[in-house]
mmCIF file with all atom_site columns, all heavy atoms in Angstrom:
data_model
loop_
_atom_site.group_PDB
_atom_site.id
_atom_site.type_symbol
_atom_site.label_atom_id
_atom_site.label_alt_id
_atom_site.label_comp_id
_atom_site.label_asym_id
_atom_site.label_entity_id
_atom_site.label_seq_id
_atom_site.pdbx_PDB_ins_code
_atom_site.Cartn_x
_atom_site.Cartn_y
_atom_site.Cartn_z
_atom_site.occupancy
_atom_site.B_iso_or_equiv
_atom_site.pdbx_formal_charge
_atom_site.auth_seq_id
_atom_site.auth_comp_id
_atom_site.auth_asym_id
_atom_site.auth_atom_id
_atom_site.pdbx_PDB_model_num
ATOM 1   N N   . LEU A 1 206 ? 42.004 -43.119 43.732 1.00 34.00 ? 1484 LEU A N   1
ATOM 2   C CA  . LEU A 1 206 ? 41.875 -42.683 42.349 1.00 34.00 ? 1484 LEU A CA  1
ATOM 3   C C   . LEU A 1 206 ? 40.445 -42.385 41.940 1.00 34.00 ? 1484 LEU A C   1
ATOM 4   O O   . LEU A 1 206 ? 40.165 -41.579 41.063 1.00 34.00 ? 1484 LEU A O   1
ATOM 5   C CB  . LEU A 1 206 ? 42.486 -43.713 41.353 1.00 34.00 ? 1484 LEU A CB  1
ATOM 6   C CG  . LEU A 1 206 ? 43.979 -43.892 41.518 1.00 34.00 ? 1484 LEU A CG  1
ATOM 7   C CD1 . LEU A 1 206 ? 44.435 -45.005 40.485 1.00 34.00 ? 1484 LEU A CD1 1
ATOM 8   C CD2 . LEU A 1 206 ? 44.758 -42.681 41.358 1.00 34.00 ? 1484 LEU A CD2 1
ATOM 9   N N   . ALA A 1 207 ? 39.503 -43.017 42.709 1.00 38.00 ? 1485 ALA A N   1
ATOM 10  C CA  . ALA A 1 207 ? 38.036 -42.758 42.408 1.00 38.00 ? 1485 ALA A CA  1
ATOM 11  C C   . ALA A 1 207 ? 37.639 -41.407 42.917 1.00 38.00 ? 1485 ALA A C   1
ATOM 12  O O   . ALA A 1 207 ? 36.648 -40.886 42.511 1.00 38.00 ? 1485 ALA A O   1
ATOM 13  C CB  . ALA A 1 207 ? 37.200 -43.877 43.097 1.00 38.00 ? 1485 ALA A CB  1
ATOM 14  N N   . GLU A 1 208 ? 38.411 -40.824 43.823 1.00 39.00 ? 1486 GLU A N   1
ATOM 15  C CA  . GLU A 1 208 ? 38.042 -39.554 44.410 1.00 39.00 ? 1486 GLU A CA  1
ATOM 16  C C   . GLU A 1 208 ? 38.620 -38.431 43.543 1.00 39.00 ? 1486 GLU A C   1
ATOM 17  O O   . GLU A 1 208 ? 39.635 -38.601 42.897 1.00 39.00 ? 1486 GLU A O   1
ATOM 18  C CB  . GLU A 1 208 ? 38.681 -39.372 45.856 1.00 39.00 ? 1486 GLU A CB  1
ATOM 19  C CG  . GLU A 1 208 ? 38.174 -40.467 46.794 1.00 39.00 ? 1486 GLU A CG  1
ATOM 20  C CD  . GLU A 1 208 ? 36.634 -40.285 47.067 1.00 39.00 ? 1486 GLU A CD  1
ATOM 21  O OE1 . GLU A 1 208 ? 36.207 -39.110 47.031 1.00 39.00 ? 1486 GLU A OE1 1
ATOM 22  O OE2 . GLU A 1 208 ? 35.935 -41.287 47.257 1.00 39.00 ? 1486 GLU A OE2 1
ATOM 23  N N   . PRO A 1 209 ? 37.922 -37.305 43.463 1.00 38.00 ? 1487 PRO A N   1
ATOM 24  C CA  . PRO A 1 209 ? 38.506 -36.147 42.704 1.00 38.00 ? 1487 PRO A CA  1
ATOM 25  C C   . PRO A 1 209 ? 39.895 -35.792 43.217 1.00 38.00 ? 1487 PRO A C   1
ATOM 26  O O   . PRO A 1 209 ? 40.078 -35.602 44.440 1.00 38.00 ? 1487 PRO A O   1
ATOM 27  C CB  . PRO A 1 209 ? 37.487 -35.025 42.969 1.00 38.00 ? 1487 PRO A CB  1
ATOM 28  C CG  . PRO A 1 209 ? 36.234 -35.734 43.391 1.00 38.00 ? 1487 PRO A CG  1
ATOM 29  C CD  . PRO A 1 209 ? 36.669 -36.961 44.157 1.00 38.00 ? 1487 PRO A CD  1
ATOM 30  N N   . ALA A 1 210 ? 40.893 -35.626 42.330 1.00 39.00 ? 1488 ALA A N   1
ATOM 31  C CA  . ALA A 1 210 ? 42.224 -35.241 42.710 1.00 39.00 ? 1488 ALA A CA  1
ATOM 32  C C   . ALA A 1 210 ? 42.281 -33.812 43.139 1.00 39.00 ? 1488 ALA A C   1
ATOM 33  O O   . ALA A 1 210 ? 41.543 -32.971 42.563 1.00 39.00 ? 1488 ALA A O   1
ATOM 34  C CB  . ALA A 1 210 ? 43.167 -35.529 41.603 1.00 39.00 ? 1488 ALA A CB  1
ATOM 35  N N   . PRO A 1 211 ? 43.057 -33.503 44.176 1.00 41.00 ? 1489 PRO A N   1
ATOM 36  C CA  . PRO A 1 211 ? 43.251 -32.063 44.520 1.00 41.00 ? 1489 PRO A CA  1
ATOM 37  C C   . PRO A 1 211 ? 43.731 -31.302 43.301 1.00 41.00 ? 1489 PRO A C   1
ATOM 38  O O   . PRO A 1 211 ? 44.375 -31.826 42.464 1.00 41.00 ? 1489 PRO A O   1
ATOM 39  C CB  . PRO A 1 211 ? 44.276 -32.108 45.636 1.00 41.00 ? 1489 PRO A CB  1
ATOM 40  C CG  . PRO A 1 211 ? 44.235 -33.526 46.195 1.00 41.00 ? 1489 PRO A CG  1
ATOM 41  C CD  . PRO A 1 211 ? 43.833 -34.372 45.082 1.00 41.00 ? 1489 PRO A CD  1
ATOM 42  N N   . ALA A 1 212 ? 43.408 -30.057 43.313 1.00 36.00 ? 1490 ALA A N   1
ATOM 43  C CA  . ALA A 1 212 ? 43.740 -29.238 42.153 1.00 36.00 ? 1490 ALA A CA  1
ATOM 44  C C   . ALA A 1 212 ? 45.234 -29.221 41.869 1.00 36.00 ? 1490 ALA A C   1
ATOM 45  O O   . ALA A 1 212 ? 45.675 -29.330 40.712 1.00 36.00 ? 1490 ALA A O   1
ATOM 46  C CB  . ALA A 1 212 ? 43.239 -27.764 42.346 1.00 36.00 ? 1490 ALA A CB  1
ATOM 47  N N   . ILE A 1 213 ? 46.091 -29.171 42.883 1.00 34.00 ? 1491 ILE A N   1
ATOM 48  C CA  . ILE A 1 213 ? 47.530 -29.150 42.684 1.00 34.00 ? 1491 ILE A CA  1
ATOM 49  C C   . ILE A 1 213 ? 48.016 -30.420 42.107 1.00 34.00 ? 1491 ILE A C   1
ATOM 50  O O   . ILE A 1 213 ? 48.842 -30.479 41.226 1.00 34.00 ? 1491 ILE A O   1
ATOM 51  C CB  . ILE A 1 213 ? 48.257 -28.759 44.010 1.00 34.00 ? 1491 ILE A CB  1
ATOM 52  C CG1 . ILE A 1 213 ? 49.776 -28.708 43.747 1.00 34.00 ? 1491 ILE A CG1 1
ATOM 53  C CG2 . ILE A 1 213 ? 47.947 -29.856 45.098 1.00 34.00 ? 1491 ILE A CG2 1
ATOM 54  C CD1 . ILE A 1 213 ? 50.140 -27.593 42.837 1.00 34.00 ? 1491 ILE A CD1 1
ATOM 55  N N   . GLN A 1 214 ? 47.357 -31.546 42.503 1.00 38.00 ? 1492 GLN A N   1
ATOM 56  C CA  . GLN A 1 214 ? 47.781 -32.883 41.993 1.00 38.00 ? 1492 GLN A CA  1
ATOM 57  C C   . GLN A 1 214 ? 47.437 -33.001 40.512 1.00 38.00 ? 1492 GLN A C   1
ATOM 58  O O   . GLN A 1 214 ? 48.166 -33.445 39.719 1.00 38.00 ? 1492 GLN A O   1
ATOM 59  C CB  . GLN A 1 214 ? 47.164 -33.965 42.832 1.00 38.00 ? 1492 GLN A CB  1
ATOM 60  C CG  . GLN A 1 214 ? 47.557 -35.362 42.391 1.00 38.00 ? 1492 GLN A CG  1
ATOM 61  C CD  . GLN A 1 214 ? 46.912 -36.412 43.314 1.00 38.00 ? 1492 GLN A CD  1
ATOM 62  O OE1 . GLN A 1 214 ? 46.716 -36.238 44.534 1.00 38.00 ? 1492 GLN A OE1 1
ATOM 63  N NE2 . GLN A 1 214 ? 46.667 -37.599 42.762 1.00 38.00 ? 1492 GLN A NE2 1
ATOM 64  N N   . ARG A 1 215 ? 46.165 -32.541 40.156 1.00 34.00 ? 1493 ARG A N   1
ATOM 65  C CA  . ARG A 1 215 ? 45.726 -32.556 38.811 1.00 34.00 ? 1493 ARG A CA  1
ATOM 66  C C   . ARG A 1 215 ? 46.674 -31.731 37.938 1.00 34.00 ? 1493 ARG A C   1
ATOM 67  O O   . ARG A 1 215 ? 47.087 -32.089 36.866 1.00 34.00 ? 1493 ARG A O   1
ATOM 68  C CB  . ARG A 1 215 ? 44.327 -32.113 38.622 1.00 34.00 ? 1493 ARG A CB  1
ATOM 69  C CG  . ARG A 1 215 ? 43.324 -33.022 39.310 1.00 34.00 ? 1493 ARG A CG  1
ATOM 70  C CD  . ARG A 1 215 ? 41.898 -32.702 38.768 1.00 34.00 ? 1493 ARG A CD  1
ATOM 71  N NE  . ARG A 1 215 ? 41.564 -31.344 38.876 1.00 34.00 ? 1493 ARG A NE  1
ATOM 72  C CZ  . ARG A 1 215 ? 40.962 -30.787 39.927 1.00 34.00 ? 1493 ARG A CZ  1
ATOM 73  N NH1 . ARG A 1 215 ? 40.707 -31.509 41.024 1.00 34.00 ? 1493 ARG A NH1 1
ATOM 74  N NH2 . ARG A 1 215 ? 40.629 -29.469 39.972 1.00 34.00 ? 1493 ARG A NH2 1
ATOM 75  N N   . TRP A 1 216 ? 47.043 -30.577 38.454 1.00 34.00 ? 1494 TRP A N   1
ATOM 76  C CA  . TRP A 1 216 ? 47.879 -29.667 37.710 1.00 34.00 ? 1494 TRP A CA  1
ATOM 77  C C   . TRP A 1 216 ? 49.254 -30.241 37.429 1.00 34.00 ? 1494 TRP A C   1
ATOM 78  O O   . TRP A 1 216 ? 49.744 -30.200 36.328 1.00 34.00 ? 1494 TRP A O   1
ATOM 79  C CB  . TRP A 1 216 ? 48.021 -28.353 38.542 1.00 34.00 ? 1494 TRP A CB  1
ATOM 80  C CG  . TRP A 1 216 ? 48.884 -27.297 37.892 1.00 34.00 ? 1494 TRP A CG  1
ATOM 81  C CD1 . TRP A 1 216 ? 48.596 -26.512 36.840 1.00 34.00 ? 1494 TRP A CD1 1
ATOM 82  C CD2 . TRP A 1 216 ? 50.228 -26.955 38.307 1.00 34.00 ? 1494 TRP A CD2 1
ATOM 83  N NE1 . TRP A 1 216 ? 49.686 -25.667 36.585 1.00 34.00 ? 1494 TRP A NE1 1
ATOM 84  C CE2 . TRP A 1 216 ? 50.660 -25.899 37.501 1.00 34.00 ? 1494 TRP A CE2 1
ATOM 85  C CE3 . TRP A 1 216 ? 50.998 -27.372 39.339 1.00 34.00 ? 1494 TRP A CE3 1
ATOM 86  C CZ2 . TRP A 1 216 ? 51.894 -25.291 37.657 1.00 34.00 ? 1494 TRP A CZ2 1
ATOM 87  C CZ3 . TRP A 1 216 ? 52.307 -26.804 39.496 1.00 34.00 ? 1494 TRP A CZ3 1
ATOM 88  C CH2 . TRP A 1 216 ? 52.692 -25.742 38.645 1.00 34.00 ? 1494 TRP A CH2 1
ATOM 89  N N   . GLU A 1 217 ? 49.851 -30.940 38.435 1.00 37.00 ? 1495 GLU A N   1
ATOM 90  C CA  . GLU A 1 217 ? 51.138 -31.588 38.275 1.00 37.00 ? 1495 GLU A CA  1
ATOM 91  C C   . GLU A 1 217 ? 51.031 -32.689 37.226 1.00 37.00 ? 1495 GLU A C   1
ATOM 92  O O   . GLU A 1 217 ? 51.886 -32.934 36.406 1.00 37.00 ? 1495 GLU A O   1
ATOM 93  C CB  . GLU A 1 217 ? 51.680 -32.044 39.563 1.00 37.00 ? 1495 GLU A CB  1
ATOM 94  C CG  . GLU A 1 217 ? 52.117 -30.902 40.530 1.00 37.00 ? 1495 GLU A CG  1
ATOM 95  C CD  . GLU A 1 217 ? 52.543 -31.434 41.854 1.00 37.00 ? 1495 GLU A CD  1
ATOM 96  O OE1 . GLU A 1 217 ? 52.381 -32.631 42.147 1.00 37.00 ? 1495 GLU A OE1 1
ATOM 97  O OE2 . GLU A 1 217 ? 53.028 -30.574 42.663 1.00 37.00 ? 1495 GLU A OE2 1
ATOM 98  N N   . ASN A 1 218 ? 49.976 -33.541 37.321 1.00 40.00 ? 1496 ASN A N   1
ATOM 99  C CA  . ASN A 1 218 ? 49.848 -34.704 36.467 1.00 40.00 ? 1496 ASN A CA  1
ATOM 100 C C   . ASN A 1 218 ? 49.622 -34.251 35.026 1.00 40.00 ? 1496 ASN A C   1
ATOM 101 O O   . ASN A 1 218 ? 49.916 -34.979 34.111 1.00 40.00 ? 1496 ASN A O   1
ATOM 102 C CB  . ASN A 1 218 ? 48.648 -35.506 36.930 1.00 40.00 ? 1496 ASN A CB  1
ATOM 103 C CG  . ASN A 1 218 ? 48.853 -36.208 38.227 1.00 40.00 ? 1496 ASN A CG  1
ATOM 104 O OD1 . ASN A 1 218 ? 50.003 -36.311 38.655 1.00 40.00 ? 1496 ASN A OD1 1
ATOM 105 N ND2 . ASN A 1 218 ? 47.841 -36.708 38.814 1.00 40.00 ? 1496 ASN A ND2 1
ATOM 106 N N   . GLU A 1 219 ? 49.126 -33.042 34.814 1.00 39.00 ? 1497 GLU A N   1
ATOM 107 C CA  . GLU A 1 219 ? 48.864 -32.546 33.478 1.00 39.00 ? 1497 GLU A CA  1
ATOM 108 C C   . GLU A 1 219 ? 50.041 -31.767 32.894 1.00 39.00 ? 1497 GLU A C   1
ATOM 109 O O   . GLU A 1 219 ? 49.811 -31.090 31.882 1.00 39.00 ? 1497 GLU A O   1
ATOM 110 C CB  . GLU A 1 219 ? 47.564 -31.741 33.460 1.00 39.00 ? 1497 GLU A CB  1
ATOM 111 C CG  . GLU A 1 219 ? 46.355 -32.618 33.680 1.00 39.00 ? 1497 GLU A CG  1
ATOM 112 C CD  . GLU A 1 219 ? 45.130 -31.754 34.127 1.00 39.00 ? 1497 GLU A CD  1
ATOM 113 O OE1 . GLU A 1 219 ? 45.208 -30.542 34.086 1.00 39.00 ? 1497 GLU A OE1 1
ATOM 114 O OE2 . GLU A 1 219 ? 44.101 -32.307 34.497 1.00 39.00 ? 1497 GLU A OE2 1
ATOM 115 N N   . GLY A 1 220 ? 51.161 -31.856 33.555 1.00 41.00 ? 1498 GLY A N   1
ATOM 116 C CA  . GLY A 1 220 ? 52.361 -31.234 33.023 1.00 41.00 ? 1498 GLY A CA  1
ATOM 117 C C   . GLY A 1 220 ? 52.835 -29.935 33.613 1.00 41.00 ? 1498 GLY A C   1
ATOM 118 O O   . GLY A 1 220 ? 53.748 -29.331 33.066 1.00 41.00 ? 1498 GLY A O   1
ATOM 119 N N   . GLY A 1 221 ? 52.226 -29.558 34.699 1.00 41.00 ? 1499 GLY A N   1
ATOM 120 C CA  . GLY A 1 221 ? 52.683 -28.334 35.405 1.00 41.00 ? 1499 GLY A CA  1
ATOM 121 C C   . GLY A 1 221 ? 54.096 -28.557 35.937 1.00 41.00 ? 1499 GLY A C   1
ATOM 122 O O   . GLY A 1 221 ? 54.471 -29.633 36.274 1.00 41.00 ? 1499 GLY A O   1
ATOM 123 N N   . GLU A 1 222 ? 54.872 -27.458 35.982 1.00 42.00 ? 1500 GLU A N   1
ATOM 124 C CA  . GLU A 1 222 ? 56.230 -27.613 36.491 1.00 42.00 ? 1500 GLU A CA  1
ATOM 125 C C   . GLU A 1 222 ? 56.213 -27.779 38.002 1.00 42.00 ? 1500 GLU A C   1
ATOM 126 O O   . GLU A 1 222 ? 55.303 -27.404 38.641 1.00 42.00 ? 1500 GLU A O   1
ATOM 127 C CB  . GLU A 1 222 ? 57.030 -26.403 36.118 1.00 42.00 ? 1500 GLU A CB  1
ATOM 128 C CG  . GLU A 1 222 ? 56.575 -25.116 36.782 1.00 42.00 ? 1500 GLU A CG  1
ATOM 129 C CD  . GLU A 1 222 ? 57.498 -23.901 36.447 1.00 42.00 ? 1500 GLU A CD  1
ATOM 130 O OE1 . GLU A 1 222 ? 58.717 -24.162 36.387 1.00 42.00 ? 1500 GLU A OE1 1
ATOM 131 O OE2 . GLU A 1 222 ? 57.032 -22.849 36.318 1.00 42.00 ? 1500 GLU A OE2 1
ATOM 132 N N   . ILE A 1 223 ? 57.281 -28.399 38.518 1.00 41.00 ? 1501 ILE A N   1
ATOM 133 C CA  . ILE A 1 223 ? 57.451 -28.594 39.942 1.00 41.00 ? 1501 ILE A CA  1
ATOM 134 C C   . ILE A 1 223 ? 57.934 -27.280 40.539 1.00 41.00 ? 1501 ILE A C   1
ATOM 135 O O   . ILE A 1 223 ? 58.961 -26.796 40.137 1.00 41.00 ? 1501 ILE A O   1
ATOM 136 C CB  . ILE A 1 223 ? 58.410 -29.694 40.233 1.00 41.00 ? 1501 ILE A CB  1
ATOM 137 C CG1 . ILE A 1 223 ? 57.882 -31.009 39.684 1.00 41.00 ? 1501 ILE A CG1 1
ATOM 138 C CG2 . ILE A 1 223 ? 58.652 -29.822 41.745 1.00 41.00 ? 1501 ILE A CG2 1
ATOM 139 C CD1 . ILE A 1 223 ? 58.927 -32.115 39.761 1.00 41.00 ? 1501 ILE A CD1 1
ATOM 140 N N   . LEU A 1 224 ? 57.158 -26.738 41.468 1.00 41.00 ? 1502 LEU A N   1
ATOM 141 C CA  . LEU A 1 224 ? 57.500 -25.446 42.089 1.00 41.00 ? 1502 LEU A CA  1
ATOM 142 C C   . LEU A 1 224 ? 58.371 -25.804 43.297 1.00 41.00 ? 1502 LEU A C   1
ATOM 143 O O   . LEU A 1 224 ? 58.473 -26.925 43.728 1.00 41.00 ? 1502 LEU A O   1
ATOM 144 C CB  . LEU A 1 224 ? 56.291 -24.698 42.445 1.00 41.00 ? 1502 LEU A CB  1
ATOM 145 C CG  . LEU A 1 224 ? 55.351 -24.315 41.329 1.00 41.00 ? 1502 LEU A CG  1
ATOM 146 C CD1 . LEU A 1 224 ? 54.170 -23.603 41.784 1.00 41.00 ? 1502 LEU A CD1 1
ATOM 147 C CD2 . LEU A 1 224 ? 56.107 -23.442 40.270 1.00 41.00 ? 1502 LEU A CD2 1
ATOM 148 N N   . HIS A 1 225 ? 58.911 -24.773 43.936 1.00 44.00 ? 1503 HIS A N   1
ATOM 149 C CA  . HIS A 1 225 ? 59.713 -24.944 45.106 1.00 44.00 ? 1503 HIS A CA  1
ATOM 150 C C   . HIS A 1 225 ? 59.485 -23.820 46.087 1.00 44.00 ? 1503 HIS A C   1
ATOM 151 O O   . HIS A 1 225 ? 59.040 -22.732 45.739 1.00 44.00 ? 1503 HIS A O   1
ATOM 152 C CB  . HIS A 1 225 ? 61.168 -25.076 44.771 1.00 44.00 ? 1503 HIS A CB  1
ATOM 153 C CG  . HIS A 1 225 ? 61.833 -23.842 44.240 1.00 44.00 ? 1503 HIS A CG  1
ATOM 154 N ND1 . HIS A 1 225 ? 61.721 -23.538 42.917 1.00 44.00 ? 1503 HIS A ND1 1
ATOM 155 C CD2 . HIS A 1 225 ? 62.487 -22.858 44.841 1.00 44.00 ? 1503 HIS A CD2 1
ATOM 156 C CE1 . HIS A 1 225 ? 62.335 -22.339 42.685 1.00 44.00 ? 1503 HIS A CE1 1
ATOM 157 N NE2 . HIS A 1 225 ? 62.830 -21.933 43.848 1.00 44.00 ? 1503 HIS A NE2 1
ATOM 158 N N   . GLY A 1 226 ? 59.903 -24.089 47.348 1.00 42.00 ? 1504 GLY A N   1
ATOM 159 C CA  . GLY A 1 226 ? 59.869 -23.085 48.354 1.00 42.00 ? 1504 GLY A CA  1
ATOM 160 C C   . GLY A 1 226 ? 58.474 -22.663 48.808 1.00 42.00 ? 1504 GLY A C   1
ATOM 161 O O   . GLY A 1 226 ? 57.504 -23.416 48.655 1.00 42.00 ? 1504 GLY A O   1
ATOM 162 N N   . PRO A 1 227 ? 58.333 -21.405 49.332 1.00 41.00 ? 1505 PRO A N   1
ATOM 163 C CA  . PRO A 1 227 ? 57.076 -20.983 49.914 1.00 41.00 ? 1505 PRO A CA  1
ATOM 164 C C   . PRO A 1 227 ? 55.889 -20.956 49.016 1.00 41.00 ? 1505 PRO A C   1
ATOM 165 O O   . PRO A 1 227 ? 54.768 -21.270 49.370 1.00 41.00 ? 1505 PRO A O   1
ATOM 166 C CB  . PRO A 1 227 ? 57.454 -19.539 50.375 1.00 41.00 ? 1505 PRO A CB  1
ATOM 167 C CG  . PRO A 1 227 ? 58.909 -19.496 50.573 1.00 41.00 ? 1505 PRO A CG  1
ATOM 168 C CD  . PRO A 1 227 ? 59.450 -20.483 49.508 1.00 41.00 ? 1505 PRO A CD  1
#
Side-chain angles (χ1 to χ4, degrees):
L1484 296 181
E1486 298 296 326
I1491 182 64
Q1492 183 177 328
R1493 294 198 306 272
W1494 179 74
E1495 290 175 351
N1496 290 344
E1497 292 164 5
E1500 64 176 324
I1501 298 171
L1502 300 177
H1503 66 275

